[in-house]
Amino acid sequence: MKQILIPKLLRHKGQEKLTCLTGYDAFHATILDESSVDMILVGDTLGLMVQGHDSTLPVTLEEIIYHARIVTRCATTKLVLVDMPFGSLQADVALNVEQSIRVFKDSGAGALKMEGATSEILTTIRHLTPMGVPVCGHIGFQPQSVHLSGYKIDGKTLPDQQRLLEEAQRLQDAGCFAIVLECIVDGVAELITQSVEMLTIGIGSGLGVDVQVLVLHDLLGMTTGRMPSFVRQYAQLQKTALAAVNDWVDDVRSLNYPSLGESYQNPNQ
Ligand code: KIV
């Protein structure tokens, strides 16, 4: 197996920062596999980035398996995490375990990610980890609960800080090897990082986490519209792609494309 395994990644905790980016298809996976990034997340953000929805909620189990299978086929050296989509983890623990095993087996991913720290999710994790299914938790802002919570920054008050610390501890006790901390105020994300042995994977949660994660489309400028303030764009691919398409259309209209070299010549004429 060429894929980097979890014990090796865990050894970096407290030593050096790790990185994770989302990826949803062969184009992303081949770039990320060649890059120096440490992990790839087949996140349910694919609902927004690939499918054109306005939230992560419509993504189905079949769709996440489909995308994760493509990513694991093309990225063979990185740890690939795959999100359990909205509705796939309900109150019925037996069903949760069955769905989780299905995603783990069929996707070829190295770990599953689950939003929330409800008692059903904790019990599900307690069943999965002894079977050899690594699980990453996810607390703070949870996009699958956006209808109830709205877009919020978590950890601003003392009770919220206490709850986050307790949730992290419970997820670790259940067996998680890592935990996503989404939109949690700096100092609190750092406190959680120091209080657990798991890797903390931060998005919009400041410097004090073990792993930084971003949505690939945000980092590469492949999306339009308002960006969250924690996003730093390193390219403007949407603009570059639009300009390339329009240049080609102009060339076609002005008979500048195709040239002789871009056409097949008959050697017998
Ligand atoms: O689905 C996703 O891409 C995520 C990241 C934003 C952490 O959960």
Side-chain angles (χ1 to χ4, degrees):
M1 185 182 268
K2 284 193 289 176
Q3 185 181 304
I4 188 157
L5 298 174
I6 288 163
K8 195 163 173 197
L9 289 172
L10 280 168
R11 285 202 283 275
H12 291 268
K13 186 170 175 91
Q15 305 295 319
E16 59 177 328
K17 299 285 182 189
L18 295 172
T19 51
C20 178
L21 283 169
T22 61
Y24 317 108
D25 65 22
F27 177 62
H28 311 148
T30 41
I31 292 172
L32 294 175
D33 205 35
E34 224 185 296
S35 78
S36 48
V37 81
D38 300 291
M39 310 175 200
I40 302 173
L41 169 64
V42 185
D44 56 5
T45 41
L46 74 85
L48 296 107
M49 302 303 151
V50 177
Q51 299 176 327
H53 295 299
D54 64 357
S55 81
T56 61
L57 273 72
V59 177
T60 67
L61 208 67
E62 282 68 29
E63 287 163 352
I64 206 103
I65 292 172
Y66 171 83
H67 284 275
R69 216 185 250 155
I70 295 171
V71 170
T72 55
R73 194 178 300 138
C74 301
T76 54
T77 64
K78 311 291 180 180
L79 174 67
V80 177
L81 289 100
V82 58
D83 244 335
M84 291 299 292
F86 174 74
S88 62
L89 299 171
Q90 300 101 352
D92 183 341
V93 173
L95 186 59
N96 293 352
V97 172
E98 193 183 312
Q99 311 248 61
S100 302
I101 290 174
R102 182 165 159 230
V103 173
F104 189 61
K105 264 181 117 159
D106 292 356
S107 68
L112 303 178
K113 179 168 90 59
M114 300 179 180
E115 279 186 26
T118 61
S119 61
E120 291 78 21
I121 289 191
L122 293 167
T123 313
T124 303
I125 298 168
R126 264 186 234 110
H127 277 80
L128 288 169
T129 41
M131 293 181 195
V133 181
V135 180
C136 171
H138 184 150
I139 59 171
F141 174 58
Q142 294 160 40
Q144 291 178 9
S145 307
V146 66
H147 287 293
L148 261 181
S149 67
Y151 294 94
K152 67 160 192 178
I153 314 297
D154 209 348
K156 288 184 186 164
T157 67
L158 223 57
D160 284 341
Q161 294 172 16
Q162 197 51 43
R163 171 185 44 79
L164 286 165
L165 279 160
E166 283 167 14
E167 286 175 348
Q169 194 58 53
R170 273 192 230 119
L171 283 162
Q172 172 162 287
D173 293 344
C176 284
F177 77 98
I179 185 173
V180 167
L181 305 178
E182 182 157 357
C183 297
I184 294 178
V185 289
D186 262 29
V188 178
E190 191 167 0
L191 214 62
I192 296 170
T193 302
Q194 287 162 358
S195 73
V196 295
E197 285 154 30
M198 303 179 282
L199 290 172
T200 57
I201 306 178
I203 178 159
S205 297
L207 259 180
V209 293
D210 300 309
V211 187
Q212 289 290 340
V213 59
L214 278 181
V215 169
L216 184 69
H217 287 54
D218 291 343
L219 177 132
L220 294 180
M222 289 166 81
T223 43
T224 49
R226 249 186 98 227
M227 282 292 135
S229 60
F230 57 78
V231 170
R232 189 182 296 176
Q233 288 193 322
Y234 288 81
Q236 295 288 336
L237 293 197
Q238 211 268 347
K239 283 195 185 122
T240 307
L242 182 60
V245 168
N246 284 335
D247 285 350
W248 179 75
V249 171
D250 288 348
D251 280 349
V252 169
R253 286 182 179 157
S254 60
L255 303 185
N256 210 14
Y257 177 88
S259 66
L260 277 179
E262 287 157 341
S263 311
Y264 294 110
Q265 309 307 315
N266 187 344
N268 301 320
Q269 274 185 353

